[in-house]
Amino acid sequence: MLGRLAAAGHCASVLHAMGQIDRHNFVPPRLASKAYDESSLPIGFEQTISKPSMIARVLSLLIPEDAPSGFRLPGRVLEIGTGCGYQAAVLSKIATEVYSMERIKGLHECARDNLRELRLVNLHLLFGDGMAGYAKGAPYTAIVSAAAGAAIPNAWLEQLAVGGRIIAPTQSDTGHQLLMVLDKTATGIRQFALEAVRFVPLKSGTS
């Protein structure tokens, strides 16, 4: 997997982090043999774990191009949609501190079980409505969403630090999803759209 991603030009720091986390421990046992394939996989509750290249792509957008090997994002990162916990674990290797929020109780508990043995002291799992963010941990250096909404919630913009970045799939006017990047500057928000993507829908509330 790592060789394939490196050949595709993904960030070396992110690939190093991915190499420290065993992906097969985050998928159902019956799918463990497919954990490193270039495909998304079901993890229950009508949710999926993103394919490796998408996780590498999203997290690479957090790392400055001139960052040295072993670079860690300063401050806190908020992840919306913990899922099975795999991306949160990888994030913990490239960020100083990570808050990861999941709205589905069963998935929150599954991620907690998956992550327990790793003892990642800088990773904090939260159960709650991701659309509301997590104000107690703000401001955030970055916010990463694993679900696509019609727009970026205002709460995320408010909780993002100046100089920070949001990476989130967003539903376009035509009904397609695009990977969006929003940078918060001293003079306002700068945003740009990247490639078409396919993520589960962003929902409010908990279940």
Side-chain angles (χ1 to χ4, degrees):
M1 178 186 78
L2 295 179
R4 182 176 69 242
L5 295 175
H10 291 289
C11 173
S13 294
V14 172
L15 298 188
H16 178 71
M18 292 176 73
Q20 298 179 66
I21 306 297
D22 292 328
R23 185 175 162 96
H24 63 268
N25 290 332
F26 293 84
V27 302
R30 63 185 175 82
L31 297 175
S33 63
K34 298 182 178 180
Y36 300 94
D37 292 351
E38 183 51 26
S39 61
S40 59
L41 297 170
I43 55 174
F45 305 92
E46 299 182 346
Q47 305 295 302
T48 61
I49 178 175
S50 294
K51 59 185 179 181
S53 64
M54 181 53 63
I55 290 176
R57 168 64 166 153
V58 168
L59 299 190
S60 292
L61 291 169
L62 298 177
I63 308 296
E65 292 184 2
D66 58 351
S69 177
F71 172 83
R72 277 185 180 261
L73 285 164
R76 300 185 179 105
V77 174
L78 175 64
E79 179 189 42
I80 306 299
T82 309
C84 62
Y86 175 73
Q87 182 172 273
V90 176
L91 264 173
S92 76
K93 299 297 184 179
I94 63 173
T96 302
E97 192 169 12
V98 179
Y99 287 86
S100 183
M101 179 168 285
E102 176 56 56
R103 63 176 293 274
I104 300 173
K105 186 68 171 180
L107 269 183
H108 168 73
E109 294 173 348
C110 177
R112 185 178 58 192
D113 291 342
N114 290 340
L115 291 162
R116 182 174 290 114
E117 291 187 5
L118 293 179
R119 301 181 184 275
L120 301 171
V121 296
N122 66 329
L123 173 58
H124 314 285
L125 300 183
L126 308 168
F127 172 65
D129 183 354
M131 290 187 70
Y134 185 62
K136 290 183 179 179
Y140 297 102
T141 299
I143 299 175
V144 179
S145 177
I152 303 298
N154 286 332
W156 300 0
L157 296 172
E158 293 169 358
Q159 293 169 24
L160 187 67
V162 173
R165 168 170 282 190
I166 293 175
I167 302 172
T170 306
Q171 198 88 12
S172 71
D173 294 338
T174 60
H176 297 91
Q177 293 180 14
L178 295 173
L179 188 62
M180 298 293 296
V181 175
L182 287 81
D183 292 329
K184 189 173 184 178
T185 72
T187 57
I189 301 296
R190 183 179 62 219
Q191 66 178 18
F192 50 97
L194 301 177
E195 66 268 23
V197 292
R198 187 175 181 182
F199 283 76
V200 296
L202 179 67
K203 297 181 179 180
S204 62
T206 58
S207 64

